[in-house]
Amino acid sequence: MGIQVTRSGMQTTIQDQGRSGYQRYGFSVSGAMDQFSYRLANLLVGNTHNEAVIEMAVQGGSFSFSEPTTLAITGADCSPRLNGVPITMYQAVHVEAGDELTTDLLKSGMFSYVGFFGGLKIPEVMGSQSTSTRYGIGGLEGRALKSGDTIQFKTISNTLIESQSLIMSLEILSDLFDSEIIRYVPTEDDTHFEEGTQELFCQNDYSVSVKADRMGYRLEGQAVEPDHQQESLSEATVLGDIQIPPDGKPIVLLADRQTTGGYPVIGTICSVDIPKMVQCRPGKKITFVSIPLKEAQDLLAEQEELFSQWAAQLTDPERKEVSEKVSNDKLKQDNHIEWNPDQIKDVIRRVDKSKLTYFSYESNLVKVKLDKRQPQLEMPETDRLGENTPVEKPDTELMQSTLVGVYFTHSERGNQLYIKEGDHVVVGQVVGRIEALKISNDVIAFTNGIVRSIYVENDQMVEYGMPLMEVELDSES
Amino acid sequence: MSKVSMFPAGDQSLRIVFENKIDQTIHKQVSQLDDAISQKDIPGIRETIPAFRTLTVLYDALQTDYETLSETIWSLLSVSQKIPRMKKRIIEIPVCYDEQFGIDLKDVANHAGLSAEDVIQLHSERDYLIYMLGFLPGFAYLGGLNPVLSMPRLRTPRHKIQAGAVGIAGSQTGIYPVASPGGWRLIGSTPVQLFDADRESPFLYEAGDYIRFRPVSIKEYDMIRQQVYTNTYQCKVKIEEDGYGDPGNA
């Protein structure tokens, strides 16, 4: 055994570079949504091949290890902790048998990745280990991970691979998570769009709607008017295609997209900007910028150059291979690069500007720790009887959202209202549901009592920690 | 040959676009170009995806670029259309039209003003050209349904249609390769597994092949099903002379 899943997270799957070669048979590619972070996760642990990693969406999972390994976490900030102690993302970390990795709600984006030295022992299906939950194949039984699942490593690693952590990629990261610019190559096929449509498309802002999943993201904003008179015959879809359905609200096609489609396509997002698009959370404002094909291909070549530079940097001389397990003390003796005050100020400024909430760096001479995490949400005033009321105030519990998604007061099937104010609820009762990434999650009462106030409306977007309702506890309980 | 154009489709794909219609001649032009590209082994090409009137070519932009590729493909285009006539590859799919599976067979028959037997006869007497695959793994867009049998989809789609279901939707006929919701009028079912990820070749056919439905009894259906489970069933494949002649004269 290698990894045991102790908490599954919201949609945690095994992914790799995707299942290519079968689009002509109608078979989706799948693979990691953010291929940039995916590659980086492999690179940081010293994998020369594109090994399968664990992809976590929106809410991360927790894992315990029965064998030692080296792992690295990339993508959106998921506040990882090893045995309760925060660990730095974008850095190789050695774990021992018995260690536990916990992650939390993703903060800066939509997807985080955990890469492992040597990769995961998962059978290949049609040349790939990636999970397609739509078809129920690949990964672990073709489904998302659940608690209790075990995954084996291909190789057990007593090797510590040291890397330079975040410093090298800070700029890239802030671009990945903070940039509001999405570059695309416009279609040259002018059958479906009148002159000026591209310009209009670029002038308007769009935001990712809550209808976002591994197949694609539906955008909100100014409707694009295609000429739907001209009927389109189905043709192959391409990763990053910006489709325009009859309502004019663009849909960006992503990893699990259908292989063919009939809606007109206004353009295709540049390969280098697809990870940016993928990491956009619902509500984030974006602007599309049309660039020439040549420029898009140059950007791709630049990125590839960066990857080879990193690979060179990480393999030698920073990477230390030791056959025996290495203690943390030894780690600290190694020669890290040192910073002057200006560099530290620069990092503070960048972290401050970025959406990273936690950053730490430590060497034998310098220790930098930046923590922007907000204190827990303040409980709203629950005393509804007034300050001067001498009556003992009843005990109340505030139910908060544990997910980011859309809240529904009615059941999915049958459209039945779960509860209204004044209703009595019991432990385990479903009182609402939150839909995130197209998955409906029940909101369950954890106390017996009377629902005094409901703070959310049907179809409302809710954030992590947002108060949902207040329950007045039964006196005897 | 009618007008052809080529466009970039993002920074790592390009698309060759033929005349905008569903037509055997157009289909043949797409297939011939697809074959020519796969035979040439052009550096940088990752995969090609044929559709009704387009061929989409995915490439690695770190290995090649649009100019280089489009030049090669243009040169292949003129040559590919002169490739001698292709053989017709027909995959025989056994179908049980029993009302146990063909739950809409009576409705289709009534709609056409025919008996159920007539519907089975008309449905199974033709070879259907696979124009393209898409929508679901192994789902074939078939051409050539007898217009008499055409019938609109159900107003309310069914939640789940079993894999292997054979149906009619508008002027199309098709088979559900995997279970899926859908509004097709179901007239039968095949015991054959059209898609199996564990099989050496996960799909039984590809664009350009033909499908012929062979009516089977429930007894034979069950027998084939057994063979499918034990991996001993193989669909009959027939090779015939191409029926539709040179694209130029069609």
Side-chain angles (χ1 to χ4, degrees), chain A residues 19-29 39 125-126 134-135 137 185-192 230-239 241 257-261 265 267-272 293-294 296-297 300-302 304 413, chain B residues 6-13 15 17 19-22 34-35 46-56 58-62 64-67 132-139 141 159 178 195-198 200 202-203 205-207:
Chain A
R19 194 166 277 112
S20 52
Y22 294 101
Q23 273 203 72
R24 60 187 294 120
Y25 298 101
F27 206 92
S28 292
V29 182
R39 278 182 75 184
V125 179
M126 293 159 70
R134 279 183 66 210
Y135 306 149
I137 66 148
V185 179
T187 177
E188 282 176 27
D189 186 353
D190 53 9
T191 329
H192 297 288
Q230 177 85 10
E231 206 196 327
S232 294
L233 295 175
S234 281
E235 60 188 21
T237 60
V238 170
L239 179 66
D241 270 353
R257 70 192 180 281
Q258 282 192 1
T259 58
T260 52
V265 169
T268 306
I269 296 174
C270 302
S271 299
V272 296
L293 173 64
K294 180 81 177 65
Q297 292 183 338
L300 186 70
E302 271 171 40
E304 201 55 28
R413 295 256 158 77
Chain B
M6 203 181 303
F7 302 108
D11 55 17
Q12 303 209 72
S13 309
R15 187 168 287 135
V17 182
E19 211 181 325
N20 191 16
K21 59 179 177 185
I22 301 179
D34 191 18
D35 287 349
R46 285 180 168 145
E47 57 184 289
T48 57
I49 311 153
F52 288 117
R53 60 115 176 193
T54 55
L55 184 68
T56 306
L58 312 190
Y59 63 91
D60 181 354
L62 298 167
T64 185
D65 58 28
Y66 181 75
E67 279 71 35
M132 62 183 278
L133 274 70
F135 168 52
L136 291 171
F139 183 86
Y141 288 86
H159 276 300
V178 290
F195 162 67
D196 181 358
D198 299 326
E200 196 184 343
F203 303 95
Y205 43 72
E206 59 183 312

Side-chain angles (χ1 to χ4, degrees), chain A residues 21 30 59 62-63 91 110 185 189 231 236 310 319 341 379 384 424 453 455 458 469 477:
Chain A
S30 299
Q59 167 72 56
S62 298
F63 313 91
Q91 187 177 35
M110 294 282 277
V185 179
D189 186 353
E231 206 196 327
W310 288 337
R319 187 173 149 186
M379 297 263 181
R384 295 171 60 83
H424 186 264
S453 316
Y455 301 116
N458 192 42
M469 61 191 69
S477 65

